[in-house]
Amino acid sequence: MNNKIREYRQEMTEQVVKALEQGTAPWQRPWSGECFPQNAVSRRYYSGANVIVLSMKGLKLDGGADPRWLTYRQAAAKGWSIKKGEHGTRISFWKNLAVTLKDEDDSPILDGNGNPMMKTILMEKLFTVFHASQVEGIPPYVPHTVNAIEADEKAERIIADSGAEIRYGGGRAFYRHSEDFIQLPKTEFFEDTAGYYATLLHELVHWTGHESRLHRTSGSVMGSPEYAREELVAEMGSMFLSAETDIPQTPEHFANHAAYVESWIILLKSDPNALFKAASEANRAAEFLLRKEREREKEAQGQEPDIEEGAA
């Protein structure tokens, strides 16, 4: 990891810790697709830690009213311009890079035909985006209309696709790793369907960590770094799923997880990379749960979905 990446991660982590200490986690807001950071041109959502970075900056710029971001080049291609004096926001993405294999003397390793042997590595790169409020000429943001019935139906499809065992009863919601099942109170004990689905999606993210699926290390001792990390993954993962389903996370949901804030602060202060690792794992968990839904979307579109510029 080069110094620029290291400094960037340290800076972002410090901002998140400050927000946590002030009582507002960047991922703890009523998320839905309408307010999720997205590219202004492709309209595709950003992913991973970029969501946290852009959300924090968007809240400062316009209170989070407009979720659109784009690069200088994208703005120019549309005939828009960056307002004078505005500064962009750095985000990161991973790209495949072909490099030459070398021996211990730093000489290229050749194949049987005398050609250099290559390998592909992933490299993290930084680039700059601008918020819609910083762009001259961009049309006003028009939020999409959320259909509650369609949102519930999509959530039900994701739940059914998972194949997770869900048991109902009692007054707590949890995932029991040792027996690989999710426990939820009966649906009538939730204030509304949004609260029910937000809770279930959170537990489904935990469920993806089982060794038969994504095999994440999760601690069983509350307050331990492993436990804090897994709860951070579940919070971010459910945020990603909320954007995809338009099932908003509720203040009640956040209140139920307020006990983890202090452990998150300790975790992030001890490891500046923890935020980025958790965001990456949360993204993997969400994509794992969305894989069949993605296939349905591709089939309906009749084509491969576009890859968003810099969606890291």
Side-chain angles (χ1 to χ4, degrees):
M1 184 186 302
N2 64 42
N3 288 336
K4 285 187 177 180
I5 298 293
R6 189 175 292 107
E7 290 171 3
Y8 164 76
R9 290 191 170 198
Q10 181 67 48
E11 178 185 345
M12 291 304 107
T13 298
E14 288 173 358
Q15 290 184 26
V16 170
V17 168
K18 184 178 180 180
L20 285 168
E21 290 175 335
Q22 294 174 343
T24 308
W27 51 88
Q28 291 190 319
R29 55 181 298 202
W31 284 110
S32 70
E34 184 177 329
C35 62
F36 206 80
Q38 59 190 254
N39 187 273
V41 177
S42 70
R43 300 303 294 264
R44 289 187 61 79
Y45 295 137
Y46 288 93
S47 58
N50 289 337
V51 175
I52 309 301
V53 173
L54 297 179
S55 298
M56 290 193 299
K57 189 60 179 290
L59 285 170
K60 291 180 180 179
L61 289 171
D62 74 343
D66 193 324
R68 295 174 299 167
W69 296 82
L70 73 169
T71 64
Y72 178 90
R73 186 162 51 185
Q74 286 180 315
K78 285 288 188 178
W80 308 331
S81 59
I82 307 303
K83 295 177 181 178
K84 187 176 180 180
E86 293 289 352
H87 298 283
T89 300
R90 290 188 304 173
I91 59 176
S92 68
F93 73 104
W94 292 87
K95 65 179 296 183
N96 289 321
L97 184 68
V99 298
T100 303
L101 287 174
K102 295 186 178 181
D103 59 22
E104 57 186 17
D105 296 322
D106 203 34
S107 298
I109 299 175
L110 306 180
D111 61 19
N113 297 318
N115 298 314
M117 296 180 65
M118 308 294 289
K119 69 174 180 179
T120 301
I121 62 172
L122 276 174
M123 176 174 287
E124 188 175 11
K125 302 280 287 183
L126 297 178
F127 71 105
T128 301
V129 292
F130 294 86
H131 185 256
S133 65
Q134 299 174 301
V135 180
E136 201 76 62
I138 190 170
Y141 174 59
V142 180
H144 69 280
T145 302
V146 178
N147 184 312
I149 295 176
E150 289 181 2
D152 290 354
E153 289 176 348
K154 188 170 185 178
E156 284 292 346
R157 289 197 300 271
I158 293 168
I159 294 163
D161 288 342
S162 73
E165 179 183 355
I166 303 170
R167 303 177 186 180
Y168 293 89
R172 295 172 53 231
F174 58 87
Y175 166 64
R176 180 160 293 164
H177 182 274
S178 60
E179 299 178 57
D180 196 24
F181 73 85
I182 292 170
Q183 183 76 37
L184 288 178
K186 293 181 179 179
T187 54
E188 57 263 32
F189 288 100
F190 289 89
E191 291 188 2
D192 49 35
T193 56
Y196 165 73
Y197 285 120
T199 301
L200 182 46
L201 292 175
H202 176 97
E203 300 305 333
L204 272 175
V205 176
H206 282 309
W207 173 87
T208 66
H210 191 269
E211 52 266 23
S212 64
R213 291 177 280 276
L214 298 182
H215 200 177
R216 286 192 308 274
T217 301
S218 58
S220 58
V221 180
M222 188 171 183
S224 69
E226 294 78 16
Y227 193 97
R229 184 177 293 107
E230 175 61 20
E231 284 301 330
L232 189 54
V233 170
E235 284 287 82
M236 291 186 187
S238 58
M239 173 185 73
F240 296 146
L241 291 170
S242 290
E244 290 284 349
T245 59
D246 281 315
I247 299 291
Q249 292 178 305
T250 63
E252 179 188 19
H253 168 84
F254 302 140
N256 291 336
H257 298 96
Y260 304 124
V261 171
E262 188 59 37
S263 61
W264 288 337
I265 292 173
I266 294 171
L267 173 66
L268 297 180
K269 283 185 174 180
S270 65
D271 180 9
N273 291 318
L275 174 68
F276 295 83
K277 292 176 183 175
S280 177
E281 290 180 342
N283 209 78
R284 285 186 66 208
E287 290 302 320
F288 182 88
L289 291 167
L290 289 165
R291 62 197 188 284
K292 291 186 180 179
E293 188 70 13
R294 295 274 192 249
E295 291 172 3
R296 281 190 287 267
E297 290 172 355
K298 285 163 58 177
E299 185 176 333
Q301 294 171 357
Q303 60 183 11
E304 294 285 338
D306 294 333
I307 301 300
E308 176 197 339
E309 178 182 359

